[in-house]
PDB file of all heavy atoms in Angstrom:
ATOM      1  N   SER A 278     -32.842 -38.987  16.080  1.00 94.00           N
ATOM      2  CA  SER A 278     -32.675 -38.709  17.516  1.00 94.00           C
ATOM      3  C   SER A 278     -32.893 -39.942  18.368  1.00 94.00           C
ATOM      4  O   SER A 278     -33.802 -40.734  18.125  1.00 94.00           O
ATOM      5  CB  SER A 278     -33.658 -37.623  17.945  1.00 94.00           C
ATOM      6  OG  SER A 278     -33.455 -36.468  17.179  1.00 94.00           O
ATOM      7  N   ALA A 279     -32.082 -40.060  19.416  1.00 95.00           N
ATOM      8  CA  ALA A 279     -32.233 -41.170  20.361  1.00 95.00           C
ATOM      9  C   ALA A 279     -33.550 -41.003  21.099  1.00 95.00           C
ATOM     10  O   ALA A 279     -33.986 -39.870  21.335  1.00 95.00           O
ATOM     11  CB  ALA A 279     -31.068 -41.143  21.344  1.00 95.00           C
ATOM     12  N   PRO A 280     -34.178 -42.119  21.489  1.00 95.00           N
ATOM     13  CA  PRO A 280     -35.478 -42.001  22.176  1.00 95.00           C
ATOM     14  C   PRO A 280     -35.418 -41.085  23.405  1.00 95.00           C
ATOM     15  O   PRO A 280     -36.327 -40.277  23.608  1.00 95.00           O
ATOM     16  CB  PRO A 280     -35.792 -43.446  22.588  1.00 95.00           C
ATOM     17  CG  PRO A 280     -34.877 -44.304  21.815  1.00 95.00           C
ATOM     18  CD  PRO A 280     -33.758 -43.487  21.282  1.00 95.00           C
ATOM     19  N   TRP A 295     -26.268 -42.798  18.915  1.00 98.00           N
ATOM     20  CA  TRP A 295     -27.499 -43.286  18.251  1.00 98.00           C
ATOM     21  C   TRP A 295     -27.590 -42.659  16.845  1.00 98.00           C
ATOM     22  O   TRP A 295     -27.787 -43.351  15.855  1.00 98.00           O
ATOM     23  CB  TRP A 295     -28.737 -42.905  19.091  1.00 98.00           C
ATOM     24  CG  TRP A 295     -30.022 -43.332  18.465  1.00 98.00           C
ATOM     25  CD1 TRP A 295     -30.601 -42.774  17.342  1.00 98.00           C
ATOM     26  CD2 TRP A 295     -30.874 -44.410  18.862  1.00 98.00           C
ATOM     27  NE1 TRP A 295     -31.769 -43.435  17.034  1.00 98.00           N
ATOM     28  CE2 TRP A 295     -31.951 -44.435  17.969  1.00 98.00           C
ATOM     29  CE3 TRP A 295     -30.834 -45.339  19.906  1.00 98.00           C
ATOM     30  CZ2 TRP A 295     -32.993 -45.359  18.064  1.00 98.00           C
ATOM     31  CZ3 TRP A 295     -31.865 -46.254  20.017  1.00 98.00           C
ATOM     32  CH2 TRP A 295     -32.924 -46.264  19.096  1.00 98.00           C
ATOM     33  N   TYR A 312     -35.681 -45.248   7.692  1.00 95.00           N
ATOM     34  CA  TYR A 312     -36.993 -45.830   8.053  1.00 95.00           C
ATOM     35  C   TYR A 312     -37.863 -45.971   6.807  1.00 95.00           C
ATOM     36  O   TYR A 312     -37.794 -45.159   5.876  1.00 95.00           O
ATOM     37  CB  TYR A 312     -37.696 -45.038   9.174  1.00 95.00           C
ATOM     38  CG  TYR A 312     -36.904 -45.141  10.455  1.00 95.00           C
ATOM     39  CD1 TYR A 312     -36.025 -44.137  10.823  1.00 95.00           C
ATOM     40  CD2 TYR A 312     -36.975 -46.296  11.231  1.00 95.00           C
ATOM     41  CE1 TYR A 312     -35.245 -44.256  11.966  1.00 95.00           C
ATOM     42  CE2 TYR A 312     -36.182 -46.420  12.373  1.00 95.00           C
ATOM     43  CZ  TYR A 312     -35.323 -45.413  12.740  1.00 95.00           C
ATOM     44  OH  TYR A 312     -34.535 -45.550  13.853  1.00 95.00           O
ATOM     45  N   GLU A 320     -44.629 -42.093  14.310  1.00 91.00           N
ATOM     46  CA  GLU A 320     -44.654 -43.565  14.153  1.00 91.00           C
ATOM     47  C   GLU A 320     -43.253 -44.140  14.342  1.00 91.00           C
ATOM     48  O   GLU A 320     -43.096 -45.179  14.974  1.00 91.00           O
ATOM     49  CB  GLU A 320     -45.182 -43.952  12.756  1.00 91.00           C
ATOM     50  CG  GLU A 320     -46.682 -43.942  12.683  1.00 91.00           C
ATOM     51  CD  GLU A 320     -47.201 -43.908  11.237  1.00 91.00           C
ATOM     52  OE1 GLU A 320     -46.377 -43.896  10.289  1.00 91.00           O
ATOM     53  OE2 GLU A 320     -48.424 -43.876  11.075  1.00 91.00           O
ATOM     54  N   VAL A 321     -42.266 -43.445  13.810  1.00 93.00           N
ATOM     55  CA  VAL A 321     -40.891 -43.924  13.963  1.00 93.00           C
ATOM     56  C   VAL A 321     -40.550 -43.987  15.456  1.00 93.00           C
ATOM     57  O   VAL A 321     -40.090 -45.014  15.957  1.00 93.00           O
ATOM     58  CB  VAL A 321     -39.878 -43.004  13.232  1.00 93.00           C
ATOM     59  CG1 VAL A 321     -38.443 -43.295  13.658  1.00 93.00           C
ATOM     60  CG2 VAL A 321     -40.010 -43.144  11.730  1.00 93.00           C
ATOM     61  N   TYR A 322     -40.870 -42.920  16.166  1.00 93.00           N
ATOM     62  CA  TYR A 322     -40.552 -42.872  17.594  1.00 93.00           C
ATOM     63  C   TYR A 322     -41.247 -44.013  18.337  1.00 93.00           C
ATOM     64  O   TYR A 322     -40.620 -44.755  19.107  1.00 93.00           O
ATOM     65  CB  TYR A 322     -40.959 -41.505  18.176  1.00 93.00           C
ATOM     66  CG  TYR A 322     -40.826 -41.446  19.679  1.00 93.00           C
ATOM     67  CD1 TYR A 322     -39.565 -41.401  20.267  1.00 93.00           C
ATOM     68  CD2 TYR A 322     -41.953 -41.455  20.484  1.00 93.00           C
ATOM     69  CE1 TYR A 322     -39.437 -41.379  21.650  1.00 93.00           C
ATOM     70  CE2 TYR A 322     -41.841 -41.436  21.862  1.00 93.00           C
ATOM     71  CZ  TYR A 322     -40.577 -41.383  22.451  1.00 93.00           C
ATOM     72  OH  TYR A 322     -40.440 -41.366  23.817  1.00 93.00           O
ATOM     73  N   ASN A 323     -42.556 -44.201  18.060  1.00 94.00           N
ATOM     74  CA  ASN A 323     -43.311 -45.250  18.767  1.00 94.00           C
ATOM     75  C   ASN A 323     -42.780 -46.643  18.434  1.00 94.00           C
ATOM     76  O   ASN A 323     -42.637 -47.498  19.307  1.00 94.00           O
ATOM     77  CB  ASN A 323     -44.807 -45.155  18.441  1.00 94.00           C
ATOM     78  CG  ASN A 323     -45.407 -43.886  19.044  1.00 94.00           C
ATOM     79  OD1 ASN A 323     -44.884 -43.371  20.039  1.00 94.00           O
ATOM     80  ND2 ASN A 323     -46.460 -43.355  18.438  1.00 94.00           N
ATOM     81  N   LYS A 324     -42.478 -46.866  17.159  1.00 94.00           N
ATOM     82  CA  LYS A 324     -41.954 -48.176  16.753  1.00 94.00           C
ATOM     83  C   LYS A 324     -40.623 -48.458  17.452  1.00 94.00           C
ATOM     84  O   LYS A 324     -40.375 -49.548  17.950  1.00 94.00           O
ATOM     85  CB  LYS A 324     -41.705 -48.177  15.229  1.00 94.00           C
ATOM     86  CG  LYS A 324     -42.953 -48.339  14.416  1.00 94.00           C
ATOM     87  CD  LYS A 324     -43.327 -49.757  14.341  1.00 94.00           C
ATOM     88  CE  LYS A 324     -43.363 -50.359  12.967  1.00 94.00           C
ATOM     89  NZ  LYS A 324     -43.726 -51.777  13.048  1.00 94.00           N
ATOM     90  N   VAL A 325     -39.743 -47.443  17.426  1.00 96.00           N
ATOM     91  CA  VAL A 325     -38.434 -47.607  18.016  1.00 96.00           C
ATOM     92  C   VAL A 325     -38.565 -47.891  19.513  1.00 96.00           C
ATOM     93  O   VAL A 325     -37.881 -48.756  20.068  1.00 96.00           O
ATOM     94  CB  VAL A 325     -37.550 -46.358  17.734  1.00 96.00           C
ATOM     95  CG1 VAL A 325     -36.335 -46.324  18.662  1.00 96.00           C
ATOM     96  CG2 VAL A 325     -37.099 -46.361  16.285  1.00 96.00           C
ATOM     97  N   LYS A 326     -39.471 -47.169  20.162  1.00 95.00           N
ATOM     98  CA  LYS A 326     -39.705 -47.383  21.592  1.00 95.00           C
ATOM     99  C   LYS A 326     -40.148 -48.812  21.880  1.00 95.00           C
ATOM    100  O   LYS A 326     -39.836 -49.389  22.901  1.00 95.00           O
ATOM    101  CB  LYS A 326     -40.783 -46.432  22.123  1.00 95.00           C
ATOM    102  CG  LYS A 326     -40.313 -45.078  22.541  1.00 95.00           C
ATOM    103  CD  LYS A 326     -39.207 -45.062  23.550  1.00 95.00           C
ATOM    104  CE  LYS A 326     -39.623 -45.134  24.999  1.00 95.00           C
ATOM    105  NZ  LYS A 326     -38.421 -45.181  25.870  1.00 95.00           N
ATOM    106  N   SER A 327     -40.892 -49.385  20.913  1.00 96.00           N
ATOM    107  CA  SER A 327     -41.364 -50.756  21.174  1.00 96.00           C
ATOM    108  C   SER A 327     -40.366 -51.815  20.661  1.00 96.00           C
ATOM    109  O   SER A 327     -40.705 -52.979  20.528  1.00 96.00           O
ATOM    110  CB  SER A 327     -42.767 -50.962  20.596  1.00 96.00           C
ATOM    111  OG  SER A 327     -42.707 -50.754  19.225  1.00 96.00           O
ATOM    112  N   GLY A 328     -39.159 -51.362  20.295  1.00 96.00           N
ATOM    113  CA  GLY A 328     -38.101 -52.334  19.999  1.00 96.00           C
ATOM    114  C   GLY A 328     -37.750 -52.497  18.525  1.00 96.00           C
ATOM    115  O   GLY A 328     -36.810 -53.204  18.185  1.00 96.00           O
ATOM    116  N   TYR A 329     -38.470 -51.828  17.662  1.00 97.00           N
ATOM    117  CA  TYR A 329     -38.182 -51.956  16.211  1.00 97.00           C
ATOM    118  C   TYR A 329     -36.823 -51.310  15.871  1.00 97.00           C
ATOM    119  O   TYR A 329     -36.497 -50.256  16.390  1.00 97.00           O
ATOM    120  CB  TYR A 329     -39.299 -51.268  15.404  1.00 97.00           C
ATOM    121  CG  TYR A 329     -38.973 -51.095  13.936  1.00 97.00           C
ATOM    122  CD1 TYR A 329     -39.225 -52.120  13.021  1.00 97.00           C
ATOM    123  CD2 TYR A 329     -38.394 -49.904  13.468  1.00 97.00           C
ATOM    124  CE1 TYR A 329     -38.889 -51.964  11.684  1.00 97.00           C
ATOM    125  CE2 TYR A 329     -38.070 -49.750  12.136  1.00 97.00           C
ATOM    126  CZ  TYR A 329     -38.315 -50.780  11.253  1.00 97.00           C
ATOM    127  OH  TYR A 329     -37.981 -50.616   9.938  1.00 97.00           O
ATOM    128  N   ARG A 330     -36.057 -51.972  15.009  1.00 97.00           N
ATOM    129  CA  ARG A 330     -34.812 -51.380  14.501  1.00 97.00           C
ATOM    130  C   ARG A 330     -34.752 -51.621  13.003  1.00 97.00           C
ATOM    131  O   ARG A 330     -35.240 -52.633  12.508  1.00 97.00           O
ATOM    132  CB  ARG A 330     -33.583 -52.021  15.159  1.00 97.00           C
ATOM    133  CG  ARG A 330     -33.480 -51.817  16.670  1.00 97.00           C
ATOM    134  CD  ARG A 330     -33.229 -50.350  17.050  1.00 97.00           C
ATOM    135  NE  ARG A 330     -33.076 -50.149  18.472  1.00 97.00           N
ATOM    136  CZ  ARG A 330     -34.058 -49.865  19.332  1.00 97.00           C
ATOM    137  NH1 ARG A 330     -35.310 -49.754  18.907  1.00 97.00           N
ATOM    138  NH2 ARG A 330     -33.795 -49.673  20.614  1.00 97.00           N
ATOM    139  N   TRP A 349     -27.870 -48.451  18.401  1.00 98.00           N
ATOM    140  CA  TRP A 349     -29.284 -48.297  18.696  1.00 98.00           C
ATOM    141  C   TRP A 349     -29.726 -49.108  19.902  1.00 98.00           C
ATOM    142  O   TRP A 349     -30.883 -49.519  20.023  1.00 98.00           O
ATOM    143  CB  TRP A 349     -30.146 -48.684  17.475  1.00 98.00           C
ATOM    144  CG  TRP A 349     -29.845 -47.865  16.254  1.00 98.00           C
ATOM    145  CD1 TRP A 349     -29.399 -46.569  16.212  1.00 98.00           C
ATOM    146  CD2 TRP A 349     -29.949 -48.279  14.888  1.00 98.00           C
ATOM    147  NE1 TRP A 349     -29.232 -46.152  14.915  1.00 98.00           N
ATOM    148  CE2 TRP A 349     -29.560 -47.194  14.077  1.00 98.00           C
ATOM    149  CE3 TRP A 349     -30.334 -49.476  14.254  1.00 98.00           C
ATOM    150  CZ2 TRP A 349     -29.551 -47.248  12.686  1.00 98.00           C
ATOM    151  CZ3 TRP A 349     -30.342 -49.530  12.863  1.00 98.00           C
ATOM    152  CH2 TRP A 349     -29.947 -48.425  12.088  1.00 98.00           C
ATOM    153  N   GLU A 351     -31.081 -49.643  23.444  1.00 97.00           N
ATOM    154  CA  GLU A 351     -32.031 -48.779  24.143  1.00 97.00           C
ATOM    155  C   GLU A 351     -31.348 -47.989  25.282  1.00 97.00           C
ATOM    156  O   GLU A 351     -31.557 -46.782  25.413  1.00 97.00           O
ATOM    157  CB  GLU A 351     -33.194 -49.608  24.687  1.00 97.00           C
ATOM    158  CG  GLU A 351     -34.120 -48.702  25.459  1.00 97.00           C
ATOM    159  CD  GLU A 351     -35.489 -49.243  25.656  1.00 97.00           C
ATOM    160  OE1 GLU A 351     -35.718 -50.439  25.350  1.00 97.00           O
ATOM    161  OE2 GLU A 351     -36.324 -48.458  26.129  1.00 97.00           O
TER     162      GLU A 351
END
Side-chain angles (χ1 to χ4, degrees):
S278 303
W295 178 288
Y312 295 97
E320 278 163 0
V321 167
Y322 173 72
N323 292 334
K324 282 279 240 179
V325 164
K326 274 306 273 177
S327 60
Y329 169 85
R330 297 293 183 269
W349 301 330
E351 177 160 10

